[in-house]
């Protein structure tokens, strides 16, 4: 029979080992997100879409509660169980990412999502990222293989197909996140700085090539050139941001007024 003392000891062990600073910062960020979804543009957007006034806030709240449940569920797992589960989930979401070109939903020229009936629209890469980090960390920490460079090769072997799938969507933003996440993990693993900067230079070169010479990513090139030369046009978002800052503030029109 499981007693109250058992639950108390487990909770005490969990609370003692968890990083409280990260947890508090995380909860503050979630609270701020909920607050701004309630007081900023939620009501305006709901009126325009003719939905319940608190529809977007309620939807945000549901995902926050679900996220907290998943967070605490994973945090109480034993290390070995967490590692095994992470590898399984990494493989599962990798398969879903590979299926996006075949069963994915195209939105504004990009095919990045999978519809799960009428329940939700899933973007596999968002679910893959945390388990990618854990899986690569497991590889780097393996004592079975002492050769660091063999571990880098295995991790790169896992990274490259993910990058190729993301480029095909196309999704350069997520591609860069995955590349630089891998670079950070490689850096903290204790790699030679010379080899690290060779990797870094290669990825910068690859990114530059994709932006300036591949037609799929022409829109990113346009954004960069517009940022450098704002007089050249195509700076609609910058203009709207400036208008929001000028007309907003504590005593202005407020967030969302005149820009939606």
């Amino acid at each position: 029979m499981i007693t109250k003392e058992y639950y108390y000891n487990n909770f005490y062990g969990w609370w003692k080992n968890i990083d409280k600073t990260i947890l508090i910062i995380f909860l503050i960020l979630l609270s701020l997100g909920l607050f701004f979804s309630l007081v900023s543009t939620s009501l305006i957007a709901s009126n325009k879409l003719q939905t319940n006034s608190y529809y977007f806030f309620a939807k945000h709240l549901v995902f926050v509660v679900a996220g907290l449940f998943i967070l605490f569920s994973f945090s109480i797992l034993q290390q070995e169980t967490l590692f095994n589960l992470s590898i399984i989930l990494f493989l599962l979401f990798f398969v879903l990412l590979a299926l996006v070109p075949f069963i994915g939903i195209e939105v504004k020229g990009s095919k990045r999502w999978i519809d799960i009936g009428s329940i939700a629209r899933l973007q596999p890469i968002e679910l893959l990222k945390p388990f990618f980090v854990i899986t690569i960390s497991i590889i780097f920490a393996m004592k079975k293989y002492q050769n660091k460079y063999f571990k880098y090769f295995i991790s790169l072997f896992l990274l490259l197909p993910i990058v190729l799938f993301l480029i095909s969507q196309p999704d350069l933003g997520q591609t860069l996140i995955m590349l630089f996440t891998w670079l950070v993990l490689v850096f903290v693993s204790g790699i030679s700085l010379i080899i690290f900067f060779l990797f870094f230079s290669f990825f910068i070169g690859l990114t530059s090539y994709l932006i300036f010479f591949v037609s799929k990513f022409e829109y990113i090139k346009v954004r960069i050139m517009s940022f450098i030369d704002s007089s050249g046009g195509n700076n609609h978002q910058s203009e709207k941001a400036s208008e929001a800052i000028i007309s907003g503030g504590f005593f202005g029109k407020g967030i969302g007024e005149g820009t939606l």
Side-chain angles (χ1 to χ4, degrees):
M1 181 178 178
I2 300 175
T3 63
K4 291 183 178 179
E5 184 179 355
Y6 173 83
Y7 283 112
Y8 174 80
N9 290 335
N10 277 272
F11 176 79
Y12 177 75
W14 172 83
W15 181 251
K16 182 179 178 181
N17 291 295
I18 199 168
D19 191 319
K20 299 174 186 61
T21 302
I22 292 179
L23 177 63
I24 291 171
I25 293 173
F26 183 75
L27 292 175
I28 290 172
L29 289 174
L30 286 180
S31 302
L32 286 173
L34 280 171
F35 173 75
F36 287 119
S37 71
L38 176 64
V39 302
S40 59
T41 59
S42 183
L43 297 178
I44 299 170
S46 297
N47 290 335
K48 286 183 176 291
L49 296 175
Q50 296 181 346
T51 60
N52 183 284
S53 297
Y54 297 100
Y55 171 78
F56 293 103
F57 171 74
K59 187 175 181 181
H60 192 172
L61 180 61
V62 168
F63 282 108
V64 166
V65 172
L68 286 172
F69 174 77
I70 294 171
L71 171 71
F72 289 118
S73 298
F74 273 91
S75 69
I76 63 176
L77 294 176
Q78 296 294 324
Q79 180 174 293
E80 185 177 354
T81 305
L82 175 63
F83 287 171
N84 292 334
L85 181 61
S86 295
I87 293 172
I88 293 170
L89 291 174
F90 170 80
L91 294 174
L92 172 63
F93 295 131
F94 178 81
V95 170
L96 288 178
L97 180 65
L99 290 175
V100 168
F102 305 101
I103 63 173
I105 304 300
E106 185 171 328
V107 178
K108 295 182 179 180
S110 297
K111 189 178 284 190
R112 306 172 185 174
W113 300 269
I114 294 176
D115 269 348
I116 307 177
S118 59
I119 301 173
R121 179 168 290 178
L122 178 72
Q123 189 174 3
I125 187 59
E126 294 291 354
L127 299 173
L128 179 68
K129 283 188 289 189
F131 302 109
F132 171 79
V133 172
I134 296 175
T135 302
I136 297 301
S137 300
I138 292 171
I139 292 172
F140 288 165
M142 287 174 64
K143 295 180 180 179
K144 183 178 179 180
Y145 303 103
Q146 297 298 324
N147 191 323
K148 283 185 180 181
Y149 299 101
F150 179 73
K151 296 177 184 179
Y152 297 146
F153 173 78
I154 297 294
S155 66
L156 192 59
F157 180 77
L158 293 178
L159 172 70
L160 288 180
I162 296 173
V163 169
L164 292 175
F165 285 132
L166 291 173
I167 290 175
S168 67
Q169 290 182 359
D171 192 346
L172 188 60
Q174 295 287 1
T175 302
L176 291 176
I177 288 174
M178 296 303 293
L179 289 174
F180 286 106
T181 297
W182 182 80
L183 280 174
V184 169
L185 291 171
V186 168
F187 179 77
V188 299
S189 71
I191 193 173
S192 164
L193 287 179
I194 295 175
I195 297 176
F196 174 78
F197 282 111
L198 286 175
F199 277 132
F200 183 80
S201 301
F202 171 75
F203 288 142
I204 291 295
L206 175 63
T207 303
S208 301
Y209 172 79
L210 291 174
I211 292 174
F212 292 100
F213 298 102
V214 177
S215 58
K216 269 188 176 183
F217 302 104
E218 181 73 21
Y219 70 97
I220 297 178
K221 177 182 175 181
V222 171
R223 289 180 183 178
I224 293 173
M225 300 311 294
S226 298
F227 178 78
I228 296 172
D229 182 13
S230 59
S231 63
N234 296 312
N235 56 348
H236 174 78
Q237 290 181 333
S238 300
E239 290 176 354
K240 289 300 180 184
S242 298
E243 289 176 12
I245 292 171
I246 293 170
S247 61
F250 290 105
F251 305 105
K253 296 179 180 178
I255 300 174
E257 287 291 330
T259 59
L260 288 176

